[in-house]
Amino acid sequence: MRTLLKHATLIDCVEPAAQPDKAVLLEDGKIREIFHAGDPAGVGDCEVVDLHGAFLMPGLWDVHIHPDYFPTLMDMPLPDQVTLFGHKLQQGLLESGIVGFRSAGAHSFMDVAWKRAFDSGQHLGPRVFAAGHFLTTTGGHFLTSGHALECDGPYGFVKAIREQIKHGVDHIKLNLSGGILGPAWDLHRHSFLLDDEIRAAFDICKLREFKVMAHATNPAAVKAAVRLGAHSIEHGYIMDDECIEALVEHGTWYVPTLAISHLTPGQATNIFERRWSSERNLAHALCCRAEAAVEQHTEAFQKALRAGVRMALGSDIRPLKDAALLELGLWVRDGATPWQAIRAATAHGAAVCGVGDRLGTIETGKIADLIVVGGNPLEDVNNVRQLQLVFKDGRIVSDKRGRSEPRQ
């Protein structure tokens, strides 16, 4: 199948500028050729889609997600939870143009199940990179989610990691420290694993060639994870200069998840943030914890940005169709340019998932997971909400060109 997209304003996420009046030929799910204005006269038989100057760019990525969670299976039975997760993932693709998700923890391997279902073509959905359960200690982080698997001692972690591998995960998620939101004993300034536990966990991941997605929220946890070979640091709420230097030296990815500390009602700066924080209805005590942490979190993000740390966009919030869009706005609010934020949510999102050679930019030979938006996101990053078309494997899977208002 051949499709010609003409009169596109191209944001390829390689060059930091919008390129007017481009044409892109898609063939067999890939980007076959990119033309200058007026060049594609001899492309032969193909379907022609006139974009009328709209902005063609790679689809978005959110590389830190979880399913919705419920206190017990009495609140929602497991089959219903699995179905709901698949629906939310599909919404993210079709309603928001998020073509790739990296899971940071899901109970019962529901992320593995949906990864397989989407990859096999049984169901239409985004590309999913699965973690299975995230691993923490007894009395560790985010236990109420149901996504956590509590481990103790070196062999406890080794056995749990082997179980995750056996069930088909793509990477191993280790929660090395506490969080901003949670019970009083789950604090982001606390590290949880003993030296022999963290070494054993990283050792078995190295032996089995599995990347470690490390929840690390304070300087001790960040530096230990980077030193032991973490693929990515998640959150990094508190990071000193040594943390930043280590991230740069080792080329470790950083996923800052600004939404966790930034999205309280008192901090909302636009209609999207106000609506989301109002619907979230976070308890006052947790709002206070988030707001107490936001200054250090912002400082860590800005230090990493200035130092040239490799950074990708992940939200850690729900619903999935809104999460990455909100996180994009927070990056810009905290000092990133729209270009830096868009790159983090496209090229860098694909790269942190290990598929940057095939996805994440618009270049000849790459897979055609693309979106078309009505406004220039390099001028206002919230223009990604003006979604018109979503392509997966070169095929239109969502067409919203008849809708007059951007999704809010």
Side-chain angles (χ1 to χ4, degrees):
M1 177 180 176
R2 291 158 58 88
T3 303
L4 179 67
L5 310 179
K6 68 176 187 177
H7 301 311
T9 305
L10 181 65
I11 299 176
D12 59 14
C13 289
V14 178
E15 298 296 330
Q19 304 168 49
D21 207 11
K22 292 286 189 176
V24 178
L25 180 64
L26 312 180
E27 185 175 22
D28 297 329
K30 294 187 177 181
I31 299 162
R32 172 69 180 272
E33 198 165 351
I34 301 169
F35 302 93
H36 295 290
D39 285 351
V43 297
D45 292 337
C46 61
E47 179 185 1
V48 177
V49 179
D50 192 335
L51 301 184
H52 300 287
F55 294 81
L56 175 67
M57 58 185 287
L60 304 176
W61 290 69
D62 187 338
V63 298
H64 189 122
I65 66 141
H66 299 277
D68 292 77
Y69 59 91
F70 303 88
T72 71
L73 291 179
M74 296 295 291
D75 296 279
M76 180 177 283
L78 180 58
D80 294 344
Q81 290 191 39
V82 176
T83 303
L84 177 64
F85 185 36
H87 173 66
K88 298 287 189 180
L89 289 164
Q90 189 177 71
Q91 272 189 325
L93 174 68
L94 300 181
E95 295 187 21
S96 302
I98 304 166
V99 300
F101 289 99
R102 184 178 64 149
S103 173
H107 71 78
S108 306
F109 299 100
M110 65 175 76
D111 51 357
V112 176
W114 280 110
K115 170 192 174 64
R116 290 171 174 168
F118 294 147
D119 286 353
S120 69
Q122 294 177 60
H123 298 274
L124 172 64
R127 303 181 193 279
V128 176
F129 296 81
H133 297 91
F134 60 69
L135 309 181
T136 187
T137 60
T138 297
H141 176 58
F142 204 30
L143 303 181
T144 56
S145 65
H147 306 154
L149 197 60
E150 294 176 273
C151 312
D152 292 291
Y155 189 67
F157 277 92
V158 169
K159 185 176 188 299
I161 288 166
R162 288 170 174 159
E163 288 284 345
Q164 304 307 296
I165 293 171
K166 182 178 74 174
H167 283 89
V169 303
D170 294 297
H171 52 269
I172 301 297
K173 170 74 180 305
L174 297 177
N175 280 10
L176 308 181
S177 54
I180 289 175
L181 307 179
W185 44 264
D186 184 359
L187 300 176
H188 66 282
R189 67 175 183 269
H190 290 170
S191 296
F192 292 157
L193 275 66
L194 298 174
D195 287 346
D196 58 350
E197 291 174 321
I198 191 172
R199 279 199 304 271
F202 274 87
D203 282 348
I204 189 62
C205 288
K206 287 178 185 175
L207 285 173
R208 300 299 297 270
E209 298 183 24
F210 272 75
K211 296 172 181 175
V212 174
M213 183 182 190
H215 169 114
T217 56
N218 60 62
V222 170
K223 283 180 268 194
V226 173
R227 182 181 69 251
L228 290 167
H231 179 64
S232 68
I233 298 297
E234 311 297 307
H235 312 302
Y237 300 136
I238 308 170
M239 294 200 295
D240 59 21
D241 290 343
E242 290 181 357
C243 292
I244 303 300
E245 291 167 7
L247 288 166
V248 172
E249 178 184 351
H250 291 266
T252 309
W253 286 99
Y254 173 40
V255 181
T257 66
L258 298 175
I260 296 299
S261 66
H262 286 53
L263 286 183
T264 61
Q267 298 183 86
T269 61
N270 59 40
I271 186 175
F272 311 114
E273 295 172 2
R274 284 191 288 273
R275 180 177 296 145
W276 186 88
S277 59
S278 174
E279 292 174 354
R280 186 187 194 193
N281 195 28
L282 190 66
H284 176 70
L286 295 181
C287 286
C288 290
R289 278 180 62 169
E291 289 169 2
V294 72
E295 184 176 350
Q296 287 181 308
H297 193 188
T298 301
E299 182 182 4
F301 171 80
Q302 292 173 343
K303 282 182 177 180
L305 199 64
R306 288 194 298 268
V309 172
R310 296 200 301 171
M311 297 166 69
L313 185 140
S315 66
D316 200 20
I317 58 172
R318 287 157 300 281
L320 300 180
K321 65 183 177 63
D322 298 322
L325 307 184
L326 287 161
E327 186 74 11
L328 273 167
L330 295 175
W331 273 58
V332 174
R333 191 216 289 187
D334 273 5
T337 65
W339 167 249
Q340 288 172 315
I342 292 294
R343 279 272 290 175
T346 55
H348 292 179
V352 82
C353 292
V355 292
D357 59 333
R358 295 184 284 132
L359 291 153
T361 60
I362 299 180
E363 297 178 88
T364 302
K366 286 200 168 184
I367 296 169
D369 284 8
L370 312 171
I371 62 174
V372 176
V373 298
N376 186 353
L378 298 179
E379 294 178 353
D380 180 350
V381 78
N382 283 313
N383 284 335
V384 295
R385 296 173 180 271
Q386 297 183 32
L387 188 67
Q388 295 184 1
L389 293 168
V390 180
F391 293 80
K392 183 180 180 185
D393 291 315
R395 180 169 63 91
I396 295 175
V397 295
S398 180
D399 187 345
K400 299 183 179 299
R401 285 173 291 183
R403 188 178 61 188
S404 59
E405 295 296 325
R407 193 186 63 73
Q408 299 181 355

